[in-house]
């Protein structure tokens, strides 16, 4: 570089900048050295105490000053990972000088109590606790369902419930009704003179049905309604005794491979239609299909009375015991007529008070005057205020001393019940129950039967024995203030207010909401699942609520009838069902149902299993469903995901064709629908 270039360099701004930078660096270096070697008060809070020779730092800083001008020192050794011996000595010296005593160290963090198989880092762990559990439940786990087992996934882990295939029952059990055919219990009865053997005597725990009740050889798909009213296949109910015993009374005849039903009965040999016309002419206020909507036919025979009332919009429940004419209810159900096995013996029938607009008995073989008329008291409980009792029997029209004595006794007992003999014509007598309490209040003191104890619940029916205190006051409005059919189907009845439920809104709104809910669901089933193609006739709703499912079928014009079952484990909504013009029964699904095998085309259960699994064995309920379902029949179970897998396994083990469907809420809903079809031929 030349002389001129060097001179320019020294005069330039670049040299000035370089010189200034070097000067600032030297100043900052000096200050840093000065304050870090302890020669002056430090500007930082952490002190770097060194060994005696100040050449080696033996550990992290052990103390901290509050400020540069304060001489108070705090020990922070508890916050560091390690403390050297020199630092410990220095801390002791500082404490001896009068420094503030350090606070006690914090308590140790408690160990994490692992209650699951995954630790706090999401890693599978082995040292976990299960928590509290019921030792008895664990010990008896395998005893809950003798047919249930766990299926292995191939790696030794049990992942799902597997149910072994259920075997067929012996051929002798093809008409088996568990609670009515319990010969062992019937033999132990102390007395049978009042019909005790015809009542429920269910098998003991551990002796429940554990097989599939077989169909008769040659069983065929039932003849559809309305043709079935007049004829059914002989092979489906192969019992000729009733035709032989009643051949001359126009009940039933055998014609080649069919039973034929001429529509007659013991007291109406000219046909049920003519008989019904006579009743309506005797008492026009009966008004079949308008005022009279729900009827009870006691000792029904083959149920021609109820079969012909169906065409007049009357819903008739036909009942009879399993006696010497043991298959009469089976014939009724095969025809497609509402019927149940039931007996007037020692216990209340499983229907609510003030349920029926008309109760009918035509030569029903019941001694109404026995035990001072206690059976008439049961009729009085069942009969709606203002309802009618029709009796067609020999004491009405035959003039024989013994029969006339029976008639006088009948007139005397009914007058004590405040019934009014409305009409006696030919061989029919018709009484009417009072509409209010005025007659009861005007009776002389000491008149029998006495009025009911206020604590007696006339709607309590499950295993309740008859008593003389069942002549209840009529609660004004309850049971009598109902509209005519069909308006009563959707009108909330007064007795709705007596249902014991936890309602956050009015019961009337709950009633209407349930009706809308099932109406929309049935409409969707008709559109998407083509329900109109299903040959529905005999339908059982296993958890009926207010009867909304049955009402929706009527509104969608299904030609079927529904028996609404109200489980004993829930609120008693049965009075509301009858006030709507529907029929139903109280039942405990932990026990078998009182009907013959193969009597229903369709079984519907909404939310039943998720509730009853706490009380009952699910497989027991499913086997009972298979027993009462006709081959070729259908099952719809709407329930929670928690029970669907087990239901599917049991249904498959019974030989049903099963599928699981999403509800209208979609695949993420907590409910599913299990559909099951019972095969026509059981393997």
């Amino acid at each position: 570089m030349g002389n001129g270039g060097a001179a320019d360099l020294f005069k330039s701004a670049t040299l000035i900048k370089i010189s200034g930078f070097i000067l600032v660096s030297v100043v900052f270096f000096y200050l840093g050295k000065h304050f870090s070697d302890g020669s002056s008060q430090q500007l930082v809070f952490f002190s770097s105490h060194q060994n005696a020779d100040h050449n080696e730092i033996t550990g992290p800083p052990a103390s901290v000053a509050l400020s540069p001008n304060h001489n108070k020192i705090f020990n922070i050794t508890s916050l560091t990972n390690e403390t050297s011996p020199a630092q410990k000595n220095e801390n002791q010296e500082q404490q001896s000088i009068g420094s503030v005593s350090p606070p006690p160290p914090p308590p140790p963090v408690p160990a994490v109590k692992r209650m699951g198989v995954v630790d706090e880092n999401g890693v599978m762990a082995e040292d976990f606790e299960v928590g509290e559990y019921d030792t008895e439940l664990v010990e008896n786990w395998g005893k809950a369902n003798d047919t249930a087992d766990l299926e292995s996934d191939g790696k030794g882990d049990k992942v799902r419930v597997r149910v072994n295939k259920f075997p067929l029952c012996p051929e002798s059990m093809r008409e088996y009704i568990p609670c009515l055919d319990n010969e062992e219990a019937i033999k132990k009865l102390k007395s049978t003179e009042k019909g005790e053997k015809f009542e429920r005597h269910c098998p003991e725990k551990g002796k429940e049905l554990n097989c599939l009740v077989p169909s008769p050889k040659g069983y065929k798909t039932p003849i559809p309604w309305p043709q079935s009213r007049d004829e059914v296949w002989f092979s489906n109910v192969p019992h000729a005794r009733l035709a032989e015993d009643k051949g001359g009374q126009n009940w039933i005849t055998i014609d080649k491979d069919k039973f034929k039903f001429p529509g007659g009965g013991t007291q109406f040999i000219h046909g049920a239609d003519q008989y019904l016309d006579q009743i309506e002419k005797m008492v026009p206020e009966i008004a079949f299909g308008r005022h009279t909507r729900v009827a009870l036919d006691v000792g029904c025979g083959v149920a021609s009375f109820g079969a012909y009332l169906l065409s007049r919009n009357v819903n008739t429940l036909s009942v009879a015991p399993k006696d010497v004419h043991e298959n009469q209810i089976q014939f009724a159900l095969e025809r497609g007529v509402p019927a149940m096995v039931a007996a007037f013996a020692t216990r209340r029938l499983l229907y609510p008070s003030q349920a029926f607009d008309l109760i009918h008995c035509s030569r029903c073989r019941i001694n109404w005057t026995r035990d001072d008329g206690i059976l008439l008291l049961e009729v009085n409980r069942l009969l709606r205020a203002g309802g009618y009792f029709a009796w067609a029997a020999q004491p009405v029209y035959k003039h024989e001393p013994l029969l006339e004595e029976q008639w006088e006794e009948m007139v005397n007992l009914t007058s004590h019940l405040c019934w009014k003999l409305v009409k006696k014509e030919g061989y029919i007598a018709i009484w009417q129950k009072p509409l209010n309490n005025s007659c009861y209040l005007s009776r002389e003191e000491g008149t029998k039967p006495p009025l009911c104890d206020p604590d007696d619940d006339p709607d309590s029916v499950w295993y309740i024995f008859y008593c003389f205190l069942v002549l209840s006051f009529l609660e004004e409005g309850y049971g009598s203030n109902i509209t005519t059919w069909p308006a009563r189907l959707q009108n909330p009845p007064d007795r709705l207010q007596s249902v014991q439920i936890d309602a956050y809104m009015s019961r009337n709104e709950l009633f209407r909401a349930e009706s809308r809910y099932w109406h929309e669901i049935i409409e969707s089933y008709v559109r998407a699942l083509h329900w109109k193609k299903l040959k529905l006739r005999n339908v059982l709703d296993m958890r009926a609520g207010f009867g909304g499912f049955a009402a929706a079928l009527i509104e969608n014009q299904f030609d079927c009838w529904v028996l609404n079952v109200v489980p004993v484990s829930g609120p008693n909504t049965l009075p509301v069902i009858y006030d709507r013009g529907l029929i139903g029964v109280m039942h405990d699904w932990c026990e078998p149902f009182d009907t013959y095998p193969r009597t229903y085309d369709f079984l519907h259960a909404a939310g039943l299993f998720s509730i009853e699994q706490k009380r009952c064995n699910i497989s027991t309920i499913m086997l009972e469903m298979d027993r009462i379902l006709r081959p070729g029949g259908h099952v719809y179970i709407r329930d929670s995901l928690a029970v669907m897998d087990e239901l599917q396994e049991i249904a498959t083990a019974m030989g049903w064709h099963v599928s699981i469907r999403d509800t209208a809420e979609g695949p993420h809903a907590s409910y599913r629908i299990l559909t099951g079809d019972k095969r026509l031929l059981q393997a």
Side-chain angles (χ1 to χ4, degrees):
M1 183 181 297
N3 293 333
D8 293 337
L9 177 64
F10 286 108
K11 294 178 182 180
S12 67
T14 303
L15 180 61
I16 296 173
K17 293 178 180 179
I18 294 173
S19 301
F21 175 78
I22 294 173
L23 179 62
V24 171
S25 300
V26 171
V27 171
F28 274 99
F29 177 80
Y30 173 77
L31 291 175
K33 183 71 173 61
H34 177 72
F35 287 109
S36 64
D37 61 5
S39 59
S40 179
Q41 283 191 331
Q42 298 171 345
L43 295 179
V44 296
F45 290 117
F46 293 97
S47 61
S48 56
H49 296 289
Q50 300 171 342
N51 289 337
D53 56 3
H54 297 280
N55 292 328
E56 183 180 358
I57 297 176
T58 60
S63 61
V64 60
L66 292 178
S67 74
N69 299 317
H70 201 284
N71 197 30
K72 293 182 180 181
I73 306 296
F74 286 95
N75 188 355
I76 63 169
T77 56
S78 62
L79 302 179
T80 60
N81 294 330
E82 189 178 313
T83 303
S84 65
Q87 289 172 321
K88 291 181 180 179
N89 295 334
E90 184 178 350
N91 291 340
Q92 294 174 357
E93 292 174 2
Q94 292 173 349
Q95 293 175 2
S96 64
I97 297 174
S99 61
V100 178
S101 301
V109 179
V112 177
K113 189 175 182 179
R114 300 186 180 121
M115 301 299 292
V117 296
V118 179
D119 64 14
E120 66 273 10
N121 297 320
V123 179
M124 188 71 72
E126 295 182 357
D127 56 337
F128 64 87
E129 293 186 23
V130 177
E132 297 181 359
Y133 64 93
D134 189 340
T135 55
E136 182 178 354
L137 178 63
V138 174
E139 292 173 357
N140 297 327
W141 179 260
K143 302 177 183 178
N145 182 359
D146 292 338
T147 62
D149 198 358
L150 293 176
E151 191 176 71
S152 174
D153 63 354
K155 300 179 181 179
D157 298 325
K158 306 296 184 181
V159 297
R160 62 179 293 186
V161 174
R162 180 177 59 83
V163 181
N164 297 326
K165 184 177 179 181
F166 290 97
L168 282 179
C169 303
E171 183 68 20
S172 59
M173 296 177 64
R174 69 183 187 186
E175 316 296 349
Y176 179 61
I177 304 177
C179 294
L180 302 180
D181 291 330
N182 188 356
E183 296 181 0
E184 182 179 343
I186 293 174
K187 290 178 181 178
K188 296 179 181 179
L189 293 175
K190 296 180 180 179
S191 172
T192 59
E193 62 181 10
K194 295 181 180 179
E196 292 91 342
K197 66 180 180 179
F198 302 129
E199 295 181 312
R200 291 173 60 84
H201 306 285
C202 296
E204 298 176 359
K205 190 173 182 180
K207 296 183 179 181
E208 301 93 344
L209 186 69
N210 199 29
C211 55
L212 306 176
V213 175
S215 303
K217 293 180 180 179
Y219 184 89
K220 300 179 182 179
T221 301
I223 295 173
W225 181 269
Q227 183 183 352
S228 63
R229 188 193 72 171
D230 302 323
E231 59 183 19
V232 301
W233 297 116
F234 180 90
S235 57
N236 288 10
V237 193
H239 304 286
R241 177 173 177 176
L242 196 60
E244 295 170 357
D245 291 349
K246 301 296 181 180
Q249 298 180 14
N250 213 24
W251 279 28
I252 180 174
T253 60
I254 300 175
D255 184 6
K256 298 180 181 178
D257 59 348
K258 294 178 181 177
F259 285 107
K260 297 285 183 77
F261 304 94
T266 304
Q267 291 296 146
F268 41 101
I269 59 175
H270 299 295
D273 265 332
Q274 186 183 32
Y275 181 76
L276 296 173
D277 289 339
Q278 181 183 354
I279 291 176
E280 205 161 20
K281 287 177 182 177
M282 289 173 63
V283 185
E285 292 79 7
I286 286 180
F288 289 130
R290 298 185 302 279
H291 177 71
T292 298
R293 163 62 185 175
V294 186
L296 179 70
D297 187 17
V298 182
C300 62
V302 293
S304 289
F305 180 82
Y308 281 81
L309 272 177
L310 286 169
S311 62
R312 304 186 186 213
N313 258 337
V314 178
N315 212 0
T316 305
L317 181 59
S318 301
V319 297
K322 191 177 181 183
D323 56 8
V324 293
H325 302 143
E326 61 178 21
N327 299 102
Q328 50 192 327
I329 293 298
Q330 190 175 21
F331 278 114
L333 289 162
E334 185 69 19
R335 296 176 72 182
V337 179
M340 277 192 69
V341 183
F344 277 84
T346 65
R347 300 185 191 132
R348 289 178 176 177
L349 271 66
L350 303 177
Y351 317 116
S353 66
Q354 301 196 61
F356 299 98
D357 307 313
L358 171 72
I359 296 180
H360 171 259
C361 163
S362 174
R363 293 287 291 273
C364 54
R365 301 175 66 202
I366 293 177
N367 182 9
W368 295 113
T369 60
R370 80 160 167 90
D371 294 336
D372 297 324
I374 196 169
L375 300 183
L376 283 176
L377 287 169
E378 175 65 358
V379 172
N380 186 75
R381 184 186 70 85
L382 296 171
L383 197 60
R384 190 177 299 280
Y388 297 91
F389 175 68
W391 189 38
Q394 290 181 345
V396 176
Y397 63 92
K398 278 197 173 183
H399 300 285
E400 298 176 6
L402 182 60
L403 295 176
E404 287 181 346
E405 183 181 338
Q406 292 178 8
W407 169 253
E408 290 299 324
E409 192 174 2
M410 187 76 167
V411 170
N412 185 48
L413 288 170
T414 53
S415 64
H416 288 172
L417 293 174
C418 289
W419 290 5
K420 178 184 177 182
L421 180 58
V422 180
K423 193 81 171 182
K424 178 186 176 184
E425 181 180 294
Y427 46 81
I428 306 173
I430 300 177
W431 286 267
Q432 185 179 24
K433 181 179 177 179
L435 276 166
N436 53 50
N437 295 317
S438 59
C439 174
Y440 299 153
L441 297 173
S442 63
R443 296 192 315 166
E444 295 182 4
E445 186 176 352
T447 301
K448 292 186 178 182
L451 290 175
C452 183
D453 189 306
D455 295 332
D456 179 80
D457 181 4
D459 295 325
S460 179
V461 297
W462 191 246
Y463 288 107
I464 301 298
F465 287 94
Y466 296 147
C467 64
F468 280 101
L469 301 178
V470 292
L471 187 55
S472 303
F473 278 109
L474 302 176
E475 296 188 53
E476 300 300 335
Y478 282 16
S480 59
N481 290 348
I482 55 172
T483 54
T484 57
W485 181 264
R488 66 189 278 190
L489 181 65
Q490 295 299 349
N491 284 353
D494 291 341
R495 284 202 284 184
L496 179 63
Q497 305 308 318
S498 66
V499 178
Q500 300 297 316
I501 55 176
D502 295 328
Y504 293 99
M505 59 179 126
S506 74
R507 288 170 172 80
N508 287 357
E509 290 190 15
L510 284 174
F511 176 90
R512 293 189 178 98
E514 186 199 82
S515 294
R516 288 194 301 270
Y517 174 78
W518 284 115
H519 183 79
E520 292 174 1
I521 287 179
I522 297 303
E523 280 191 335
S524 68
Y525 286 170
V526 171
R527 290 193 309 269
L529 304 179
H530 309 290
W531 264 30
K532 283 296 180 72
K533 294 183 179 180
L534 299 177
K535 295 179 180 179
L536 302 185
R537 181 58 196 169
N538 301 355
V539 178
L540 187 71
D541 189 1
M542 300 175 66
R543 183 172 176 259
F546 295 128
F549 177 79
L553 290 179
I554 292 173
E555 289 187 326
N556 281 273
Q557 298 180 346
F558 281 88
D559 195 7
C560 66
W561 61 273
V562 181
L563 187 66
N564 297 278
V565 178
V566 174
V568 297
S569 56
N572 185 3
T573 57
L574 205 54
V576 176
I577 288 172
Y578 276 90
D579 286 354
R580 298 185 75 172
L582 307 171
I583 58 174
V585 64
M586 181 74 70
H587 184 61
D588 185 348
W589 283 113
C590 295
E591 298 183 9
F593 194 69
D594 289 342
T595 192
Y596 281 86
R598 304 173 301 280
T599 51
Y600 286 93
D601 304 297
F602 191 92
L603 305 179
H604 178 256
L608 176 73
F609 289 94
S610 55
I611 293 176
E612 299 293 14
Q613 67 173 340
K614 304 170 186 176
R615 306 172 54 248
C616 316
N617 191 331
I618 287 182
S619 65
T620 301
I621 303 177
M622 292 284 282
L623 281 168
E624 180 64 5
M625 293 172 70
D626 182 84
R627 186 185 71 84
I628 66 180
L629 183 64
R630 283 173 167 174
H634 311 280
V635 173
Y636 266 60
I637 300 174
R638 190 183 185 93
D639 221 313
S640 65
L641 289 173
V643 297
M644 274 295 149
D645 286 344
E646 185 173 359
L647 292 175
Q648 186 175 14
E649 290 291 335
I650 296 171
T652 302
M654 295 190 302
W656 293 1
H657 177 72
V658 184
S659 63
I660 304 291
R661 301 176 183 272
D662 293 331
T663 62
E665 289 80 7
H668 301 294
S670 59
Y671 278 72
R672 293 287 187 275
I673 299 172
L674 182 146
T675 63
D677 299 331
K678 182 176 177 179
R679 293 181 172 89
L680 186 60
L681 297 177
Q682 294 176 325

